[in-house]
Amino acid sequence: MAQWNQLQQLETRYLEQLYHLYSDSFPMELRQFLAPWIESQDWAYAANKESHATLVFHNLLGEIDQQYSRFLQENNVLYQHNLRRIKQHLQSTYLEKPMEIARIVARCIWEEQRLLQNATTTAQDGTAAHPSGTVVTEKQQILEHNLQDIRKRVQDMEQKMKMLENLQDDFDFNYKTLKSQGDNPPNSSPICSELSQDMNGNSQAAATRQKMSQLEQMLSALDQLRRQIVTEMAGLLSAMDFVQKNLTDDELADWKRRQQIACIGGPPNICLDRLETWITSLAESQLQIRQQIKKLEELQQKVSYKGDPIIQHRPALEEKIVDLFRSLMKSAFVVERQPCMPMHPDRPLVIKTGVQFTNKVRLLVKFPELNYQLKIKVIIDKESGDVAAIRGSRKFNILGTNTKVMNMEESNNGSLSAEFKHLTLREQRCGNGGRTNSDASLIVTEELHLITFETEVYHQGLKIDLETHSLPVVVISNICQMPNAWASILWYNMLTNHPKNVNFFTKPPVGTWDQVAEVLSWQFSSTTKRGLNIEQLTTLAEKLLGPSVNYSGCQITWAKFCKENMAGKGFSFWVWLDNIIDLVKKYILALWNEGYIMGFISKERERAILSPKPPGTFLLRFSESSKEGGITFTWVEKDISGKTQIQSVEPYTKQQLNSMSFAEIIMGYKIMDATNILVSPLVYLFPEIPKEEAFGKYCRPEAAPEEAPGGDPYSTIQPYLKTKFICVTPTNSGNTSDLFPMSPRTLDSLMHNEAENNPGPLDSLTLDMELSSDVASPM
């Protein structure tokens, strides 16, 4: 089966990841239209060979033209328009750089294959933790069927109510007519006994007896229909209760759990539109039934009799439907977007005092009559005053626009929502540094706080108090607290779905390595294009737990993860890893996305995979000793006797990578051999990718000389000699690395003088940037 067809059959959580692969650079529409042809091309080869990339790009444009002709024959105006727009964009963007579009498509195809592999692996591992797409689909189909059944039963009930009203009107008319004629209905029928008490006369004519018999039959039919309607209403309310529990206790609860996972970097959360459709449909049916129950009351007030089922059962039906509707409305009030500082979108639920944060609430009952009717108020720690006093937590005030009216205009899909964009927190000063108890056991980054949203709904005579709250947030006062605060958010949302457990860290539960490994991988995949593979995760497990054959099921404490220093190190595991994540995002993101950085690998494993490789083979890994995050490279070389040696360079940190890109460091890296000759020990990126092929495209091209005024092609202006950073490691200096800025002329001169005056190895170089005063004079 074609790859694209296989992708279409994945369950929703994988499709959400698929959607994020595509953008205007390579639209998903084009992937859909040309799926077989796209999968038949060697995009990886084209991404590295310009002549082939040019050929493939022009073939792509030809395929687009053919597809456009098909749409033209089908008279599909919309697809014609979209395809024309896509072709124009591709031509204007990639005509001069076809290798770039080839790299984009190659990356998309590779990510698709990885997505399919993950889905297959998950299915093979079992469906308990991750239900298969078939199970989910069947469950949704059943829910849809139940909702349709409820809607149909409500409509059928509406028809029966009209029948009841017509039957009752006929009976009432005939009864009043007979009564006005002075005829006295017989007392033989217990149903008619109350209706005949005020009628006189001892003898009745045959005609009168016939009318009375018809009247009695009508009343019997009326009573029978009333009992049928009351019974069916009770059954319908039970069905509504069942579906409502499925929606709120299962579907909505699942969405909230997915939201938790998405907050800590997991798969993107599924949108609420489908849930909103379901809940709105159920709410509309409930209101229709409530109106029908009110109609029963009106009918009962017009005609009633002994044993009237409406009198017996209507109050219970009214109470049941009101309770269902209240409960549904309360459940439908949700936090659609959790609190987040705009400057840190990848780390929601951490809020710094004095810095604006945003969040969004939504009512999943989409009633147009509620537009601009619900005023939302924001409160922090509404219900935890006593608890906060006991555990010594800080107290805060919410500043900014903390009230807002819900409306349908702010959202793209017309949902009833309110977005708060200008909220800030300010700590209350009440002595003890803002704490109410100086013996507090929790540190600042372990305190959890709740942000509550409340409003009132007045609808069809009902007043309903609505309240929802965010996931617990951590409030920091300095950005340096962000890493530990984020660790708290990870640990909480990884291990519990309790929505209000603000005392979680008074006794934090233990996690398993399987849980921690998944969350750690998410920290990379959520902000880059690559998560962590099994080998990288095994290395991290060894850092946390020590050597072991199998880490599955091993327990990790909160202190081990975040608070205790690693063995032989002066920092914790999380501090070290968080700085590496920051290093990847800010300095080596492109290389990480390409898969060029092995990253986490033990020294034993590193030696094992490099030793059989030819000299010049190297790999990139993260430093295990740098608290602030560092990256190094290790290569294979042969000594004079031909013995294989594994060499490493001192790790490069953020400070050095601020001055020069890591790709340029690798491309320009040199070592000084015994004869004082600069050579590059880096030739092939493991396993066998030529260095220039891997890193050349990430280095800045040298600027061409500027032409002199007057357009003389033989005269150029070059006021300064070019400078170049060259990374040099002397052969006798151990694992060290420095960046030396020098001009090519200076380097040649230096090498010449050193060869004459000091034939031994060069121990160090300390040169400043040379700015030459030699300027080419115009001819």
Side-chain angles (χ1 to χ4, degrees), residues 414-552:
S415 62
L416 194 60
S417 59
E419 184 172 7
F420 295 84
K421 299 181 180 180
H422 307 290
L423 297 176
T424 56
L425 295 180
R426 183 175 64 187
E427 186 175 347
Q428 296 180 10
R429 296 297 175 184
C430 56
N432 296 326
R435 291 176 178 266
T436 59
N437 184 350
S438 59
D439 297 327
S441 60
L442 294 180
I443 61 176
V444 167
T445 54
E446 291 178 342
E447 286 182 16
L448 299 177
H449 302 267
L450 287 178
I451 297 177
T452 302
F453 305 86
E454 59 182 21
T455 187
E456 295 178 344
V457 176
Y458 295 89
H459 191 61
Q460 295 192 4
L462 293 177
K463 175 182 177 294
I464 307 173
D465 295 323
L466 302 184
E467 180 178 298
T468 189
H469 52 80
S470 69
L471 291 168
V473 301
V474 175
V475 183
I476 60 177
S477 56
N478 193 300
I479 202 65
C480 69
Q481 298 169 324
M482 173 66 82
N484 285 336
W486 183 240
S488 297
I489 297 299
L490 293 179
W491 205 256
Y492 178 92
N493 290 286
M494 175 180 71
L495 295 179
T496 183
N497 58 2
H498 192 293
K500 302 171 66 173
N501 186 11
V502 293
N503 293 318
F504 179 83
F505 284 104
T506 56
K507 191 177 180 180
V510 173
T512 65
W513 167 246
D514 306 88
Q515 293 171 313
V516 172
E518 187 174 38
V519 171
L520 293 183
S521 183
W522 288 343
Q523 303 316 295
F524 287 85
S525 62
S526 62
T527 54
T528 73
K529 292 182 179 180
R530 299 180 68 86
L532 301 179
N533 59 36
I534 187 64
E535 186 170 358
Q536 293 167 328
L537 288 170
T538 300
T539 303
L540 293 179
E542 186 175 348
K543 298 284 288 183
L544 264 175
L545 300 166
S548 176
V549 177
N550 182 13
Y551 292 100
S552 180

Side-chain angles (χ1 to χ4, degrees), residues 717-777:
I717 296 177
Q718 190 171 338
Y720 301 105
L721 291 178
K722 296 178 182 178
T723 61
K724 184 176 183 180
F725 281 105
I726 300 179
C727 309
V728 180
T729 298
T731 55
N732 65 341
S733 63
N735 293 340
T736 60
S737 173
D738 292 292
L739 301 180
F740 299 101
M742 64 186 76
S743 70
R745 181 182 301 173
T746 301
L747 178 63
D748 292 342
S749 175
L750 175 69
M751 296 306 303
H752 178 73
N753 292 337
E754 286 295 333
E756 291 182 351
N757 301 330
N758 185 14
L762 183 63
D763 289 332
S764 64
L765 295 176
T766 54
L767 295 173
D768 296 327
M769 180 87 67
E770 179 185 275
L771 300 179
S772 173
S773 60
D774 298 333
V775 180
S777 59

